[in-house]
Amino acid sequence: MRKSHPLRRVVLATAATVSGVVLLLSLKPSTDPGATQAAGAGGGAAAQEAAQGGAGAVVSGTMTGDAAQTQYGAVQVRITVVENKITKAEAVQAPKGGTSTQKTELAVPKLNAAVVARQSANIDTVSGATYTSEGYKKSLQSAIDKANASAGSSQGSGSAQAAGTFTGDAAQTQYGAVQVRITVAGGKITKAEAVQAPKGGTSDQKTQLSVPKLNQEAVAAGSADIDSVSGATYTSEGYKKSLQSALDKAKAGKGPSSGSGNAGGSGSSAGSAGSSGAAQAKTVTGSVEQTQYGPVQVRITVAGGKITKAEAVQAPKGGTSDQKTQLSVPKLNQEAVAAGSADIDSVSGATYTSEGYKKSLQSALDKAGV
């Protein structure tokens, strides 16, 4: 029997060892530096995705979140998104008066900065301003949701995409509420009007001076990036806020209504069914509107493009509020059905309830799309 040479055994063993090492290295998974960085960022990539409109969609524009009610007042956030990134965050409403002003000045700048840094609503609460922070985050999430919903729309700084009539949220100013309705066709604002504006005393003059100019500017610019009218700063700012809200609704395709917003408009097709145009009734509940004496919320039934029933599911109660509610709500219900819109008179002696009723009614009409 032939013996193997010792040197040959050493060479074979060495070769086997090298082959094993090479095999092990080839099987070891490579580390992706980008993946490691994302994992160590505490979910930063996932946070940024929250501001995006979905895989492959590029979102740019300005989105205003729903107003979030807090113990000390409403908080409403607007974000600017450029190619799926939040580049700016601002509070268009925040608690004010007394210590609330100090807390707002303390908290809002920090919250704005945190949004841009985190790219999501997953931000820390500011110590000493818990209620404002929580309200801010709720409204912020609403704005992000609207950004996601607008993924299919074309890019723009607020350009409306859907066709129809859209009514913005009422913006409260020092002299009264401002609410804007726009008509959109072919992706452009073809008409803008103020359905609410400050009135009484010098406010009448300022409204008559500013609103026509603001309407023209809105149509010309196709966005809420318009100049304030000199001498009517508060009205102008409220107008722009409500206009932006209407644009956001148009971009999200929410609540289009035909004509001037009148439920009985000749161009309305809402609720129709079948080739014969038979009316299909539907019930819609408007937003809860806070008043000095309590919330007001209206529910309407719509059939054939007309309001067939209106009722208050919430209204101020307790003390004299009971009497005012019993006095005003039946009249307001009748007026809503008769007018087919929220353009109804306030009931004397129940001004706050009436104004809250009309705002919630308009919200219901917007949701019904009539």
Side-chain angles (χ1 to χ4, degrees):
M1 179 180 247
R2 191 166 143 189
K3 295 183 180 179
S4 60
H5 198 280
L7 182 58
R8 185 181 179 189
R9 288 199 301 269
V10 171
V11 171
L12 291 173
T14 302
T17 302
V18 171
S19 298
V21 171
V22 171
L23 180 62
L24 286 172
L25 289 174
S26 67
L27 293 175
K28 183 180 179 181
S30 62
T31 301
D32 181 1
T36 303
Q37 183 177 1
Q48 181 172 331
E49 185 69 20
Q52 299 180 0
V58 178
V59 178
S60 295
T62 304
M63 292 80 183
T64 305
D66 296 333
Q69 297 297 328
T70 76
Q71 185 173 334
Y72 298 102
V75 182
Q76 190 171 28
V77 179
R78 178 184 297 143
I79 58 173
T80 301
V81 179
V82 178
E83 294 183 352
N84 299 345
K85 290 184 178 180
I86 301 174
T87 59
K88 182 181 179 182
E90 55 185 326
V92 293
Q93 285 192 70
K96 57 185 177 180
T99 58
S100 292
T101 300
Q102 297 175 341
K103 291 183 178 181
T104 291
E105 292 172 351
L106 163 73
V108 168
K110 294 181 179 179
L111 294 166
N112 292 340
V115 174
V116 176
R118 290 284 187 89
Q119 294 291 305
S120 80
N122 186 24
I123 57 178
D124 293 332
T125 297
V126 175
S127 178
T130 304
Y131 289 103
T132 298
S133 299
E134 292 305 314
Y136 185 102
K137 289 189 279 186
K138 287 180 183 177
S139 183
L140 169 61
Q141 185 61 58
S142 170
I144 290 174
D145 291 342
K146 290 179 181 180
N148 291 335
S150 68
S153 64
S154 60
Q155 298 181 17
S157 61
S159 173
Q161 304 301 324
T165 302
F166 303 85
T167 305
D169 297 333
Q172 298 297 326
T173 76
Q174 187 173 333
Y175 298 103
V178 181
Q179 190 172 28
V180 178
R181 180 184 295 139
I182 59 173
T183 301
V184 179
K188 295 182 179 180
I189 302 174
T190 59
K191 182 180 179 182
E193 56 185 324
V195 293
Q196 286 192 70
K199 55 186 178 180
T202 58
S203 293
D204 287 333
Q205 297 174 340
K206 292 183 178 181
T207 291
Q208 292 171 4
L209 163 73
S210 62
V211 168
K213 294 181 180 179
L214 293 167
N215 291 339
Q216 292 176 355
E217 285 292 318
V219 174
S223 74
D225 187 15
I226 57 179
D227 294 332
S228 294
V229 175
S230 177
T233 305
Y234 289 104
T235 298
S236 299
E237 291 305 312
Y239 185 101
K240 290 190 280 185
K241 288 179 183 177
S242 184
L243 172 59
Q244 185 61 59
S245 171
L247 285 165
D248 292 340
K249 291 178 181 180
K251 290 182 71 177
K254 295 181 179 179
S257 55
S258 65
S260 63
N262 189 316
S266 60
S268 176
S269 61
S272 63
S275 59
S276 62
Q280 181 181 0
K282 58 182 175 180
T283 301
V284 183
T285 305
S287 58
V288 177
E289 296 296 331
Q290 299 296 329
T291 75
Q292 186 173 333
Y293 298 103
V296 180
Q297 189 175 29
V298 179
R299 178 185 296 139
I300 59 173
T301 301
V302 178
K306 295 182 179 180
I307 302 174
T308 59
K309 182 180 179 183
E311 57 185 325
V313 293
Q314 287 193 66
K317 56 185 178 180
T320 58
S321 293
D322 287 333
Q323 296 174 342
K324 292 183 179 182
T325 292
Q326 291 171 4
L327 165 72
S328 62
V329 168
K331 294 182 180 179
L332 293 167
N333 291 339
Q334 291 176 356
E335 285 291 317
V337 174
S341 74
D343 187 15
I344 57 179
D345 293 332
S346 296
V347 175
S348 178
T351 305
Y352 290 104
T353 298
S354 299
E355 292 304 313
Y357 184 101
K358 289 189 281 185
K359 289 179 183 178
S360 183
L361 172 58
Q362 185 62 60
S363 169
L365 286 166
D366 292 339
K367 291 179 181 178
V370 295

